[in-house]
Amino acid sequence: MGGRVEFVQGNEACVEAALYAGLDFFAGYPITPSTEIAELMSVRLPQRSGKFIQMEDEIASICAIIGASLTGQKAMTATSGPGFSLMQEGLGYAIMAEIPCVIVNVQRGGPSTGLPTKVSQGDVNQARWGVHGDHAIIALTASNHQDVFAVTVDAFNFSETFRTPVILLFDEVIGHMREKLEVPAPGEVALVERLKTSVREGVDYHPYLPREDGRLPMSDFGGVHRYNVTGLFHDMWGFPSEKPEVVHGLLRHLVDKIENHVEDVTRYREYFVEDAETLLVSYGSAARSALHVAVNRRQRGERIGLLELQTLWPFPAALVREKSRHAGYVVVVEMNMGQVLQSVKAAAERPERVFLANRVDGVLIAPADIQNILRLIQGKGV
Amino acid sequence: MAVKEYIRERFFPHIWCPGCGHGVVLGGLVRAVEAIGLKKNDIVMVSGIGCSSRIVGYMDFHTLHAIHGRALAFAVGVKMSRPELTLLVPMGDGDALSIGGNHFIHACRRNIDMTAIVMNNKVYGMTGGQYSPLSGYGTMATTAPYTNIDQEFDVVNIATAAGATFVARTTSYHVQQLPEVLEEAIRHKGFSVVEVMSPCPTYYGRKNKEGSAVDMMERLKNTTTPIGSKAKRENPSLIERGVFVKKEMPEYCAEYQKIIERAMKGN
Ligand SMILES: Cc1ncc(C[n+]2csc(CCOP(=O)(O)OP(=O)(O)O)c2C)c(N)n1
Ligand code: SF4
Ligand SMILES: [Mg+2]
């Protein structure tokens, strides 16, 4: 890579990536452990004619980025659990109205105010189902700063490709830990720009009529096409409609445009998975400890591997099924009560062979914690 | 341009009840926009949720029918990104001052250039007649069957206290004053608030025995008076109409442009 090398926090890596992806607008409200993202954006964005605003709360923040996105801007907000809860209605709006934007949730312990400064991965299922009503969602995560950078750029690209909000689900350890980051040179990583309509002025533009490939070319607010955007079920003009066929068609479109592209949005890493008898499945900061265990035990000759998920939603069920097919045990390593565990069990051929190694006390799960579970499963006692 | 040039005729007839004041606000807005000579492509209209907020669907601008109470927050994102656009933000009284009260006061405080129109029918019309923060003590509502004990906000006072740099009140009855006040509000560089008292005969009127839609219009005429009028001095219970506040303050987007210049110079 021809870029510059930095020694940064994960939150900073996320900022670097968002700017690299072409971020124009950031609105946010301070909350630990995501605040550095807002602070850095307030410095960096105006240096390149971008806009930063600290809104009155997280509800306003997500609403503001949706408004900005409608004018053709790449827009983002960042928060943590309590703020993410407040953002759910706006998130649903962005899903329904198909507005590209990126929402970062640097997870801390919950529920409620929970553990403001401690790590957790407790919002995985909220990212999937925090919004009311049927819908599909893309949520990405990472375990190191190079990958934080990569998935953040992916998030912007996916949001433009699929005209949808994308969630970045980091955690306190990743957000605050410092490590090396190589920022790629401009042009080194492909960026997806907004697909704009080619319909000329004066010709009827249908903002919500998908092309054959399912994509919806947009027209910026302030441009030559005037149309309506609403959170109600709507027809191809964006005008409210309750016709059963319109409602059904839109809901199917919203789900299919993502669920039909699971492979395209699946990002993962694998370590020694090929012949693994014991397969660890992990993500985010927990995957660092899982990798440590896998490497150590491999060195001692054990057939153990790690599947590190970066795309959590839509859940890459086919991938998990494939990679776990030959494993005698699957152990999901995460810092919650088993949120990804549920999805892995649903995906695995033999769900009774899927176990959980977790910690839910605000402390990063350690290799020793995982070792203890492995010894129990393998009948060796603790 | 003819008035109907500003309207999406395709989507008529509108959803409002006969006698609803909201349609008059639509007419007033069109006339104000026409008088200023704004281009339709340069206007973004953002609303929340409610009978009032459905206004955006009928207007041939860039229209954003947002979520309940949050219209101003969406509008801030649009305006900051494209400061050259004209932002019109019609909201219901519940929308603007109950669920959206926080966004309302902060938009006033920031003095961001846009026009907030509070279509005040003193009730939650869309959900069927519950009391709003504008209903007032002693009124009746479907959720105040024994009379309402909630005290009301005064839109003009709250906007003024929160720092709005243009504050006015008019009614759906005063069809001459309505477009004039709206025009002045839109022309004002800063955050403008226009309260339009707009009757809901279907719920507020019926629950409070205010008679027909015509009776309610007449009431708007009889219970309001120009600011500082002799009638007001003689009868303090009259509600004043007109422009209460008009002052110059640094506008938010213009100020942010200065931030960009400073950031680019590296200080
Ligand atoms: C978050 C949320 N809460 C409640 C509602 C239900 N709701 C829709 S409109 C409305 C009130 C409308 O009253 P107002 O803003 O005064 O507008 P009006 O209908 O009177 O013009 C409510 C409570 C909603 N849509 N969203
Ligand atoms: S319910 Fe009231 S506010 Fe709603 S359209 Fe009817 S009259 Fe107007
Ligand atoms: Mg109302």
Side-chain angles (χ1 to χ4, degrees):
Chain A
M1 280 197 281
R4 64 198 146 88
V5 178
E6 307 261 4
F7 187 69
V8 293
Q9 288 191 336
N11 284 343
E12 228 168 321
C14 175
V15 169
E16 290 288 353
L19 295 171
Y20 186 94
L23 183 75
D24 303 292
F25 185 93
F26 182 97
Y29 189 82
I31 184 165
T32 307
S34 77
T35 308
E36 294 83 6
I37 297 179
E39 287 174 341
L40 285 165
M41 288 298 185
S42 75
V43 178
R44 300 285 295 277
L45 271 170
Q47 291 172 345
R48 37 188 267 169
S49 287
K51 309 283 168 70
F52 165 89
I53 185 168
Q54 181 173 309
M55 293 299 284
E56 52 272 20
D57 60 27
E58 290 86 350
I59 301 175
S61 301
I62 191 163
C63 295
I65 68 166
I66 294 169
S69 180
L70 275 165
T71 70
Q73 310 263 290
K74 287 191 178 176
M76 167 178 169
T77 185
T79 187
S80 188
F84 192 56
S85 292
L86 287 180
M87 286 183 184
Q88 295 303 319
E89 195 189 5
L91 181 58
Y93 185 91
I95 291 170
M96 183 60 130
E98 303 188 66
I99 318 285
C101 56
V102 173
I103 297 106
V104 183
N105 174 359
V106 186
Q107 295 167 94
R108 64 192 225 179
S112 192
T113 312
L115 291 166
T117 62
K118 303 284 184 204
V119 72
S120 160
Q121 296 177 320
D123 304 347
V124 174
N125 282 346
Q126 185 190 20
R128 179 64 191 89
W129 288 118
V131 166
H132 60 274
D134 280 313
H135 61 279
I137 193 85
I138 301 174
L140 310 174
T141 185
S143 68
N144 61 73
H145 294 6
Q146 209 58 52
D147 287 348
V148 165
F149 190 98
V151 298
T152 301
V153 174
D154 281 333
F156 282 92
N157 286 348
F158 294 161
S159 79
E160 295 296 342
T161 302
F162 300 102
R163 268 193 74 165
T164 192
V166 174
I167 297 166
L168 286 168
L169 215 47
F170 299 134
D171 60 60
E172 189 277 334
V173 166
I174 295 301
H176 284 161
M177 176 185 72
R178 284 188 183 273
E179 68 179 14
K180 197 179 99 174
L181 169 73
E182 271 186 72
V183 180
E188 216 171 296
V189 181
L191 302 179
V192 177
E193 299 308 330
R194 187 149 310 173
L195 180 66
K196 302 265 170 97
T197 180
S198 56
V199 173
R200 272 168 292 115
E201 181 163 16
V203 180
D204 210 0
Y205 161 65
H206 300 106
Y208 290 101
L209 184 64
R211 296 196 313 199
E212 225 158 80
D213 62 0
R215 293 190 67 187
L216 291 162
M218 285 183 87
S219 177
D220 297 344
F221 267 30
V224 298
H225 299 293
R226 299 176 301 278
Y227 58 96
N228 190 49
V229 176
T230 178
L232 289 165
F233 275 92
H234 47 270
D235 60 21
M236 64 185 177
W237 286 282
F239 202 75
S241 172
E242 295 180 342
K243 287 196 188 118
E245 64 275 19
V246 171
V247 172
H248 185 258
L250 177 54
L251 190 59
R252 278 252 60 110
H253 162 74
L254 293 178
V255 173
D256 289 349
K257 72 174 181 179
I258 291 169
E259 300 288 346
N260 288 350
H261 293 93
V262 174
E263 269 185 43
D264 299 332
V265 299
T266 295
R267 298 284 183 269
Y268 68 99
R269 288 189 178 281
E270 59 176 286
Y271 304 89
F272 329 113
V273 168
E274 193 83 319
D275 64 343
E277 272 169 6
T278 303
L279 179 69
L280 305 178
V281 177
S282 191
Y283 55 95
S285 58
R288 299 174 75 95
S289 298
L291 180 60
H292 188 90
V293 170
V295 169
N296 256 342
R297 289 192 165 219
R298 266 285 157 180
Q299 278 165 359
R300 283 189 271 122
E302 189 178 325
R303 281 161 64 182
I304 182 169
L306 167 66
L307 174 63
E308 181 193 336
L309 301 178
Q310 293 174 326
T311 300
L312 295 180
W313 306 114
F315 191 74
L319 174 83
V320 169
R321 173 182 290 259
E322 178 54 37
K323 300 290 178 192
S324 63
R325 180 160 285 145
H326 304 295
Y329 305 102
V330 177
V331 181
V332 179
V333 182
E334 57 184 338
M335 289 178 289
N336 55 47
M337 301 288 277
Q339 299 194 14
V340 164
L341 176 79
Q342 294 171 348
S343 299
V344 172
K345 279 193 178 225
E349 261 171 26
R350 289 178 296 165
E352 71 282 1
R353 291 303 188 106
V354 181
F355 299 90
L356 174 65
N358 71 341
R359 246 187 118 133
V360 289
D361 56 358
V363 179
L364 177 66
I365 191 164
D369 300 319
I370 303 168
Q371 303 275 22
N372 287 344
I373 298 292
L374 288 176
R375 275 195 289 271
L376 275 177
I377 296 167
Q378 291 163 350
K380 294 178 187 161
V382 178
Chain B
M1 249 199 297
V3 161
K4 69 173 210 187
E5 295 291 313
Y6 294 95
I7 280 170
R8 292 172 174 148
E9 277 187 288
R10 179 196 285 152
F11 302 127
F12 279 75
H14 59 67
I15 62 153
W16 296 311
C17 308
C20 175
H22 292 347
V24 181
V25 181
L26 186 153
L29 269 166
V30 166
R31 283 179 194 90
V33 165
E34 193 194 17
I36 303 173
L38 291 169
K39 289 206 205 68
K40 294 193 286 182
N41 281 346
D42 294 338
I43 302 175
V44 179
M45 203 178 216
V46 188
S47 73
I49 298 294
C51 296
S52 36
S53 291
R54 293 301 281 265
I55 192 171
V56 298
Y58 308 119
M59 308 290 264
D60 191 17
F61 308 135
H62 303 284
T63 57
L64 176 51
H65 183 231
I67 49 182
H68 193 29
R70 321 296 174 193
L72 286 166
F74 283 80
V76 164
V78 174
K79 182 69 182 179
M80 269 196 89
S81 308
R82 296 285 305 273
E84 70 280 13
L85 298 175
T86 298
L87 269 288
L88 305 177
V89 190
M91 298 168 284
D93 48 317
D95 205 38
L97 286 146
S98 187
I99 191 165
N102 197 32
H103 310 305
F104 184 84
I105 56 173
H106 288 280
C108 290
R109 169 180 70 78
R110 282 191 191 102
N111 196 36
I112 186 162
D113 183 26
M114 57 180 66
T115 302
I117 301 127
V118 181
M119 298 159 76
N120 180 12
N121 54 13
K122 302 171 60 149
V123 73
Y124 288 157
M126 177 129 274
T127 42
Q130 301 77 27
Y131 61 89
S132 93
L134 275 298
S135 300
Y137 185 88
T139 54
M140 302 297 285
T142 57
T143 44
Y146 308 109
T147 77
N148 185 15
I149 56 168
D150 269 38
Q151 301 292 342
E152 77 207 79
F153 274 142
D154 178 315
V155 183
V156 166
N157 287 349
I158 208 167
T160 304
T165 51
F166 182 98
V167 182
R169 178 190 290 126
T170 183
T171 86
S172 298
Y173 172 82
H174 297 91
V175 290
Q176 302 285 346
Q177 186 185 39
L178 174 64
E180 284 166 21
V181 165
L182 287 171
E183 180 183 341
E184 208 178 335
I186 297 167
R187 286 187 189 274
H188 175 74
K189 185 99 181 131
F191 192 75
S192 307
V193 176
V194 179
E195 176 189 359
V196 185
M197 298 169 67
S198 169
C200 168
T202 303
Y203 293 114
Y204 187 88
R206 207 181 282 164
K207 274 278 160 196
N208 290 283
K209 306 211 166 34
E210 291 202 348
S212 68
V214 177
D215 295 334
M216 290 185 82
M217 279 293 183
E218 199 154 20
R219 184 182 290 267
L220 288 177
K221 178 179 140 201
N222 296 334
T223 58
T224 65
T225 184
I227 296 174
S229 69
K230 186 161 159 263
K232 174 73 182 176
R233 286 194 295 278
E234 285 163 6
N235 179 4
S237 72
L238 290 176
I239 300 165
E240 288 175 299
R241 292 180 284 108
V243 177
F244 293 81
V245 177
K246 191 176 180 180
K247 61 179 182 190
E248 297 296 316
M249 288 262 288
E251 192 277 328
Y252 196 81
C253 296
E255 290 300 302
Y256 198 82
Q257 200 48 47
K258 294 183 199 161
I259 294 293
I260 289 177
E261 281 153 27
R262 286 180 70 168
M264 284 183 157
K265 273 196 229 126
N267 56 0

